[in-house]
Amino acid sequence: MAIQEKSVDVFVELLRKDQLDENVPTEALEKCVGYFSYMYPLLLGSETRINQTHLLGDTARALSAACDSIRTDALAVRALIQIGQEGGDMGLLMQHLVTATETIQQQLKVIRRRIPQDRNIAQLGFSEELPNILQQCSQHAAKIMKTLQMLIRAAMQQVALSGGKD
């Protein structure tokens, strides 16, 4: 675990120095998160009680950040699409992503407003399935973000190769 902790420390240090940007590779951090996600149930078991207030608030903030990323990337892809192809499938998909993320952001604001301000309230009466559902939502959002980032990277390479012509 010490190796994983050093990996996280590198990212914390970059963040503290305001040097963490889109050019910093995150594969090491993703591996670290995967490691801890795997080790957590093995070491702590399933006996841990989940604070639903914290879980819901943290997930809402994470999904909000994911929506910001998805929306920004979708707008960037739309900007890279040539004018003649604006009505194409890719343009429609990007518009759908922008609209969907705006709708989700509005719903997340409602959720955050309804979360009790007293963080000592641990149980909100949700089913035991809630953590799994929220985890799946987060995983799907991460996959969409990663796909859009790869798409933008490939599109930018094509723009660079074509010299901005076409």
Side-chain angles (χ1 to χ4, degrees):
M1 283 190 186
I3 295 170
Q4 305 299 331
E5 183 180 353
K6 287 179 185 178
S7 178
V8 172
D9 287 343
V10 169
F11 284 96
V12 170
E13 189 64 28
L14 288 173
L15 183 62
R16 195 168 50 79
K17 291 181 179 179
D18 198 25
Q19 296 176 343
L20 188 62
D21 61 12
E22 69 276 357
N23 297 319
V24 176
T26 58
E27 288 80 17
L29 185 60
E30 290 173 12
K31 287 180 183 177
C32 184
V33 168
Y35 172 78
F36 284 117
S37 295
Y38 175 76
M39 293 302 291
Y40 179 81
L42 294 177
L43 296 175
L44 298 176
S46 61
E47 296 179 18
T48 15
R49 295 201 47 137
I50 295 174
N51 184 321
Q52 291 179 344
T53 304
H54 287 287
L55 176 67
L56 196 57
D58 292 346
T59 303
R61 280 190 292 282
L63 289 175
S64 181
C67 284
D68 286 340
S69 173
I70 291 167
R71 184 177 185 277
T72 301
D73 289 347
L75 289 171
V77 170
R78 274 186 40 200
L80 291 172
I81 295 174
Q82 295 180 359
I83 303 285
Q85 297 175 344
E86 189 64 33
D89 290 341
M90 186 62 79
L92 291 174
L93 176 61
M94 293 305 117
Q95 182 57 46
H96 176 71
L97 284 173
V98 169
T99 304
T101 54
E102 289 170 352
T103 303
I104 293 169
Q105 287 280 32
Q106 292 171 355
Q107 292 299 314
L108 289 169
K109 285 179 186 177
V110 170
I111 290 170
R112 285 195 303 266
R113 278 195 300 262
R114 291 184 179 178
I115 294 174
Q117 296 300 315
D118 183 6
R119 296 299 224 172
N120 293 325
I121 299 173
Q123 298 303 314
L124 299 175
F126 294 125
S127 71
E128 297 294 322
E129 189 62 24
L130 178 71
N132 293 333
I133 293 169
L134 293 176
Q135 183 179 20
Q136 287 176 348
C137 287
S138 298
Q139 289 171 345
H140 291 306
K143 287 177 184 177
I144 294 169
M145 287 173 23
K146 190 151 190 97
T147 301
L148 284 172
Q149 290 168 355
M150 290 184 330
L151 177 64
I152 288 174
R153 187 174 293 133
M156 292 302 293
Q157 287 174 351
Q158 289 299 315
V159 168
L161 290 175
S162 69
K165 302 171 189 170
D166 298 333

